Amino acid sequence: MRSVISGGAHGGRVNVTPMIDVVMVLIIFYLLVGQLAIDRRTEIKAPITATGIVETQERDPITLGVHRDGSLTLNGEGIGLARLGGELTGRILRDPTLAVRVRADRGAPFGEVRPVLRAVREAGIDQVELVTEQGP
Amino acid sequence: MSEHAESDRPHRPLRRRNIVDGSRGHFGPTMTPMVDVVLVILIFFMASTTIAGREWFLRASLPEPHENMPREEGSRFVLPAPMIRVEVFTRNGAVLVNGLQDRELLIHEAVSVIGGLDDSASEGIVLLIVGADDIAFAEIMRLHDAASAISMRVAIE
């Protein structure tokens, strides 16, 4: 049996075009899944609202997650409230135009959300984007 | 070009095809790469639509702490006037809102009151929502949603 690599009459060449196509599809797939995983990893159920803003920004905002149990994430990575202020301040100093988006669980007590909003305010940001799910 | 000469030509898969290929039985463009690219674009737009369709966001102002007020004071934030300050809290399992009328309202009553405000009258007014610790975040966002529906700005303390 003639192998693909031996080529024979085709001069020993391997057609790499399909392989490149498949690899490209896989890369794009994992990029998308990875980006989704950052947002969905925590399984936060956002509140449902009938109004909202659908906006696609060229740059990703800083995303703060507030779980139902009060644990926090910064862009998908766990973080404590004590470190949050410093992290936010550092990032805002590097890029003052960065937006801050808060994904808080709909069942989270507001007592767990308020310290996050205060940390954001104390970092010099006077407006946040509160993530909600599109409702009827 | 004879049949013999054609079979002796080395096969080069990456070589750009030209009109001469038509005489070799491969007339027309190669469809495979185009199908691959179209498939990628299709997957990309399907995924983008799914992401964009699920979630959106509402903007909220974060009031600036008043330097001269201690943290324990109730109205320690500076906001551009005029504003409506509402407090959301629970009592006996019911979610109540104080500050919209001269009596405490149930949350759904408060949503109706806000929804009944005139758009022009509410323009420029900030709704400052002050939530109790045990209030679910969703209740805060119910008021925010009602205010946003009439283009009222919202601040959350």
Side-chain angles (χ1 to χ4, degrees):
Chain A
M1 184 176 173
R2 179 185 295 168
S3 73
V4 174
I5 296 174
S6 64
H10 290 173
R13 295 174 187 272
V14 177
N15 188 358
V16 294
T17 308
M19 190 181 73
I20 292 171
D21 290 340
V22 170
V23 168
M24 190 171 70
V25 170
L26 288 175
I27 288 172
I28 291 172
F29 176 76
Y30 281 111
L31 281 173
L32 284 173
V33 170
Q35 186 62 41
L36 281 174
I38 289 174
D39 294 335
R40 311 287 178 187
R41 189 179 303 159
T42 53
E43 295 184 357
I44 291 173
K45 293 182 178 176
I48 299 170
T49 59
T51 59
I53 303 166
V54 178
E55 192 174 76
T56 53
Q57 300 185 350
E58 291 184 2
R59 291 178 308 163
D60 290 335
I62 299 171
T63 302
L64 298 172
V66 184
H67 295 237
R68 187 180 285 256
D69 63 358
S71 56
L72 306 177
T73 57
L74 174 63
N75 288 340
E77 302 291 334
I79 190 170
L81 187 60
R83 278 184 51 222
L84 181 61
E87 282 284 335
L88 284 174
T89 304
R91 291 176 190 234
I92 294 300
L93 281 176
R94 285 195 294 274
D95 187 353
T97 63
L98 270 178
V100 175
R101 192 165 289 180
V102 176
R103 292 186 80 243
D105 193 285
R106 66 183 70 155
F110 190 63
E112 304 289 353
V113 181
R114 187 190 298 108
V116 176
L117 299 180
R118 285 187 181 167
V120 172
R121 185 66 190 89
E122 286 166 5
I125 303 154
D126 60 0
Q127 187 171 260
V128 288
E129 299 169 352
L130 302 170
V131 177
T132 62
E133 281 185 19
Q134 295 185 13
Chain B
M1 188 179 293
S2 68
E3 287 292 327
H4 180 72
E6 180 70 23
S7 63
D8 287 345
R9 179 183 294 175
H11 179 67
R12 288 177 288 176
L14 299 180
R15 181 176 60 85
R16 184 186 293 274
R17 292 179 183 273
N18 56 37
I19 198 166
V20 177
D21 292 331
S23 63
R24 300 169 60 195
H26 299 286
F27 186 78
T30 309
M31 295 299 292
T32 307
M34 192 181 75
V35 171
D36 289 341
V37 170
V38 168
L39 188 70
V40 169
I41 293 171
L42 185 67
I43 292 171
F44 175 76
F45 281 110
M46 283 175 65
S48 302
T49 305
T50 305
I51 295 167
R54 279 185 180 173
E55 291 186 341
W56 50 13
F57 61 84
L58 292 169
R59 288 201 174 95
S61 298
L62 300 177
E64 182 180 2
H66 197 298
E67 292 179 358
N68 298 326
M69 292 273 190
R71 278 183 168 273
E72 291 73 23
E73 294 274 343
S75 58
R76 61 190 179 81
F77 290 99
V78 180
L79 272 177
M83 75 170 182
I84 301 173
R85 185 178 190 274
V86 295
E87 296 175 356
V88 190
F89 56 97
T90 57
R91 184 186 298 143
N92 300 328
V95 181
L96 300 170
V97 178
N98 192 18
L100 276 176
Q101 291 184 347
D102 54 359
R103 65 180 179 90
E104 294 168 352
L105 301 174
L106 292 169
I107 184 79
H108 70 270
E109 293 175 328
V111 168
S112 298
V113 168
I114 294 171
L117 293 174
D118 190 288
D119 280 24
S120 58
S122 62
E123 188 177 352
I125 296 177
V126 177
L127 180 71
L128 174 61
I129 303 173
V130 183
D133 285 353
D134 58 342
I135 284 290
F137 183 62
E139 305 294 351
I140 303 289
M141 294 310 293
R142 280 181 72 182
L143 291 179
H144 194 326
D145 192 19
S148 298
I150 57 168
S151 305
M152 183 184 279
R153 290 165 56 200
V154 173
I156 295 180
E157 178 182 331

